Amino acid sequence: MAGEGVKLLGYWASPFALRVRSALKLKGIEYEYQEEDLGNKSPLLLQGNPVYKKVPVLLHKGKSISESLVILEYIDEVWKHNPLLPEDPYERARSRFWAKFVDEKCVPALVGVITKVGEELEKSAREAREHLKTLESGLDGKRCFGGTKIGFADVAIAWIAYWVRMEQEAFKIQLIDQQNMPLLAAWIDYVLEDPVMKEFMPPYDKLVKHTRDLREKLTAVVSN
């Protein structure tokens, strides 16, 4: 389906930009993609998101929309086909709740795993495990957070789950396992095998190296 002048500004290693890319694909919306250099942000990015100056930014009909969850809701409202959010109001609210929970609780703890060392690292890892266990309850025995198919919450959470796997490999730390979080582990296996999700997955080894390098840089700044 034609995207009516849709352009997305993103970054290959941003889970938030990948949310939008996969959502656009699931919706069948054609768009132009512009990879950003976060060390030298384009004028288009700075103009499109003057408040946070971050990716992703969606440009549509001369207007800019920023913040990934806001963008997901926008594209679901503008293009009604292949809806991401459930039709039932209660289920829609649940989808929004778990997507927000991940951003407000899981993401800060997972960032801490990258940026902290020693006891603070252990604290961040412990918090991440606790929040991920809470997240598991949101599946409520279903295959997906959206019910029987991948939807709004699944798209929002999937890329964070991919980063969980990557952090476990990069830093040799346990965050999710089949024994303690069997439902969440099974969901991660399912959603990350989806062809749309796999299409946009960053190369795993490249992402692990990128994150290790980022951690080395950030922890060096803290120690100095």
Side-chain angles (χ1 to χ4, degrees), residues 77-97:
E77 291 179 9
V78 172
W79 294 278
K80 303 294 186 182
H81 63 284
N82 302 334
L84 298 173
L85 281 163
E87 184 177 352
D88 179 75
Y90 174 71
E91 293 300 328
R92 291 169 73 91
R94 287 186 78 253
S95 292
R96 292 185 176 108
F97 174 87

Side-chain angles (χ1 to χ4, degrees), residues 71-158:
I71 295 173
L72 294 193
E73 294 226 29
Y74 177 84
I75 64 176
D76 214 29
E77 291 179 9
V78 172
W79 294 278
K80 303 294 186 182
H81 63 284
N82 302 334
L84 298 173
L85 281 163
E87 184 177 352
D88 179 75
Y90 174 71
E91 293 300 328
R92 291 169 73 91
R94 287 186 78 253
S95 292
R96 292 185 176 108
F97 174 87
W98 288 114
K100 187 176 181 181
F101 174 85
V102 163
D103 280 5
E104 292 186 350
K105 296 294 186 180
C106 298
V107 169
L110 293 170
V111 169
V113 172
I114 297 175
T115 60
K116 303 295 177 61
V117 295
E119 292 183 3
E120 289 298 312
L121 168 59
E122 289 299 323
K123 179 181 178 183
S124 291
R126 184 169 59 253
E127 290 177 352
R129 284 190 290 268
E130 291 172 355
H131 295 321
L132 289 166
K133 184 63 178 176
T134 300
L135 175 66
E136 184 182 50
S137 69
L139 284 165
D140 197 25
K142 301 173 183 175
R143 167 171 279 187
C144 298
F145 285 90
T148 58
K149 66 175 185 176
I150 293 173
F152 180 90
D154 302 284
V155 170
I157 299 167

